[in-house]
Amino acid sequence: MKLAMKFVLAFFTLLLSAPLWAQNPAQNTAPSAKLALTPPMGWNSWNKFGCNVSEDMIKGMADAMVKSGMKDAGYQYVVIDDCWQVSRDKDANIVADPQRFPSGIKALADYVHSLGLKFGIYSDAGSKTCAGRPGGLGHEYQDALKYASWGVDYLKYDWCNTTTQDARASYANMRNALDSAGRPIVLSLCEWGTAKPWLWGKEVGGNLWRTTGDIQDRWSGKKEWNPGNCCSYGVVDIIDAEDAIYSYAGPGHWNDPDMLEVGNGGMTTTEYRSHFSFWALLAAPLIAGNDLRDMNPEIHDILTNKEVIAIDQDPLGQQGRRVWKDGDVEVWAKALAGGGRAVILFNRGETDRQITAKWTDLDYPESMAASVRDLWAKKDLGKSTGKFSASVAGHGVVMVRVGP
Ligand code: GLA
């Protein structure tokens, strides 16, 4: 082939393989450009139900999202995780389990949409999903077209069975496939933090990226996860992993410390309140993982606390971070639009402790008189100058909004 011809071919190959919007990021016209400007909120089947998914259960969960007031509190996406898919047909179209989803995925998406909610689904960048169902490798554009035709609004894309695949290239490919299908679809990168997706997730059009191995319904302790593979995480282990990467989160692109375990039974109410408070301070996606059809009042009140949710959804889009630590007691803070701060006084220990947040640690002058509101007691505590102190139960938090 003549050299000039080779150059022309190389140029067009490059043009076609680059994300359309990457050619001029300032004029990003991709359908997905303005998605997830605040952290996505919704529900996902995995933490509670694993592979035990069906259209009846998902419909029931969508109904419960509305009836319980979760929709009013901001929850939106109803996401089926692994195991909805069984095979590919003769034309390689992905096939949903006909026993568990007899009406098909499009009918289910239509039902979810009819309630004013959005619909999400799960696949995997490798040859098979983590539960061994057909993966997306080699079928990215075909699957994206299928998802768009079903009315999918959110895709969680996992990382099992990817052998030597490059994570960044694989997720860029799926984002391009989704954008080419013409429907705005939130892309959730479920790569567990192995290839540091916070460094490149935004550039490839990921809206959220997992930062650790799977959360499990316990307060603390990493455990072996899939034989020989480290680790599943407790809530405290995940909190500790998020501090160093706070600066990578922002509107449209979030660190994802994994889905909520609130209400699944393995922790105390105090611990679940701490779990939820931290996810809000970390500007994390709030994806409930419990049975919404069967919530006790304490769990309901945690998941629907609108003032805590407002911290998560604050339009400035800053992730909070640790600003002070002394042994088992810590202060975490998140800057809010309008100059306020969300503050968590955190007690990792077993017994009550007095904890103080100093204004200088919040980047406020010591002399400033600031209003303090307790977001769990839902009570104004008046003005404080220089600092705020409170007694905090073991494994508990006091979460306040501080403002000039
Ligand atoms: C991985 C993911 C989980 C879940 C399962 C499904 O472990 O990290 O969140 O999606 O796969 O098999």
Side-chain angles (χ1 to χ4, degrees):
M1 197 185 312
K2 285 214 174 74
L3 201 59
M5 192 59 177
K6 273 191 180 160
F7 271 126
V8 171
L9 267 180
F11 175 74
F12 279 108
T13 311
L14 200 69
L15 204 69
L16 284 174
S17 63
L20 288 175
W21 45 270
Q23 292 163 27
N24 187 350
Q27 288 175 3
N28 182 355
T29 55
S32 56
K34 293 206 165 57
L35 289 173
L37 295 182
T38 61
M41 292 176 66
W43 175 89
N44 172 298
S45 53
W46 185 255
N47 283 355
K48 173 77 183 172
F49 297 95
C51 271
N52 196 13
V53 289
S54 70
E55 77 181 33
D56 285 346
M57 186 270 274
I58 300 290
K59 278 175 156 181
M61 222 54 73
D63 291 338
M65 193 181 270
V66 177
K67 282 196 204 120
S68 63
M70 291 199 48
K71 181 187 174 204
D72 286 343
Y75 295 85
Q76 196 180 16
Y77 294 98
V78 176
V79 184
I80 320 178
D81 207 282
D82 208 348
C83 302
W84 61 270
Q85 64 289 69
V86 282
S87 57
R88 290 190 181 273
D89 69 14
K90 65 174 181 14
D91 298 320
N93 292 307
I94 191 79
V95 175
D97 184 328
Q99 260 90 48
R100 289 173 173 269
F101 296 90
S103 314
I105 302 296
K106 167 126 182 33
L108 184 54
D110 288 348
Y111 183 80
V112 170
H113 290 150
S114 76
L115 300 176
L117 298 169
K118 293 191 167 160
F119 179 74
I121 212 162
Y122 161 102
S123 187
D124 186 291
S127 54
K128 287 188 171 151
T129 71
C130 294
R133 305 302 174 93
L137 182 61
H139 300 280
E140 294 84 358
Y141 281 73
Q142 183 177 13
D143 286 350
L145 281 173
K146 185 60 84 187
Y147 300 153
S149 76
W150 286 342
V152 168
D153 305 297
Y154 182 112
L155 175 68
K156 173 174 167 183
Y157 215 46
D158 214 339
W159 192 242
C160 279
N161 304 301
T162 46
T163 61
T164 59
Q165 282 174 247
D166 176 72
R168 181 184 172 133
S170 300
Y171 283 106
N173 193 27
M174 195 61 208
R175 168 45 84 202
N176 290 341
L178 293 172
D179 282 347
S180 305
R183 184 174 172 89
I185 297 179
V186 169
L187 179 58
S188 156
L189 277 51
C190 182
E191 187 272 349
W192 321 310
T194 319
K196 298 188 169 63
W198 46 89
L199 298 177
W200 46 265
K202 178 184 170 191
E203 277 170 54
V204 302
N207 299 110
L208 56 153
W209 46 81
R210 281 275 301 279
T211 54
T212 65
D214 283 11
I215 192 171
Q216 285 184 345
D217 188 15
R218 66 172 168 272
W219 179 243
S220 70
K222 293 184 194 175
K223 290 194 181 159
E224 191 183 49
W225 181 49
N226 299 332
N229 184 351
C230 184
C231 299
S232 73
Y233 284 59
V235 161
V236 172
D237 310 294
I238 296 189
I239 292 170
D240 286 338
E242 302 311 289
D243 185 39
I245 53 174
Y246 77 90
S247 61
Y248 297 102
H253 51 94
W254 309 99
N255 288 314
D256 175 8
D258 207 353
M259 304 172 295
L260 296 163
E261 291 283 8
V262 176
N264 280 337
M267 287 180 253
T268 65
T269 304
T270 299
E271 290 168 342
Y272 281 140
R273 202 175 291 121
S274 301
H275 172 17
F276 195 74
S277 302
F278 264 102
W279 263 234
L281 184 116
L282 294 169
L286 295 180
I287 309 293
N290 59 319
D291 189 343
L292 305 182
R293 303 165 302 184
D294 180 24
M295 279 190 275
N296 68 36
E298 288 87 35
I299 296 304
H300 174 270
D301 291 352
I302 292 173
L303 289 171
T304 58
N305 182 320
K306 290 190 183 169
E307 295 189 55
V308 175
I309 291 172
I311 301 301
D312 181 74
Q313 297 289 302
D314 184 79
L316 195 58
Q318 284 217 358
Q319 178 172 325
R321 65 194 171 91
R322 187 191 285 126
V323 295
W324 182 83
K325 176 175 174 67
D326 182 15
D328 275 347
V329 293
E330 302 179 3
V331 176
W332 288 66
K334 173 188 205 269
L336 303 171
R341 306 280 189 266
V343 178
I344 287 181
L345 311 179
F346 179 36
N347 179 3
R348 293 170 182 261
E350 306 289 330
T351 53
D352 292 9
R353 294 284 299 273
Q354 191 72 17
I355 307 180
T356 300
K358 295 195 289 297
W359 278 194
T360 46
D361 287 333
L362 310 181
D363 288 330
Y364 280 162
E366 205 178 341
S367 59
M368 191 174 92
S371 62
V372 179
R373 181 168 170 82
D374 186 319
L375 301 183
W376 288 110
K378 301 185 182 161
K379 211 167 130 197
D380 287 328
L381 302 177
K383 293 224 164 197
S384 287
T385 303
K387 62 182 188 220
F388 167 74
S389 299
S391 170
V392 185
H395 293 190
V397 298
V398 165
M399 186 175 198
V400 292
R401 183 190 267 265
V402 181

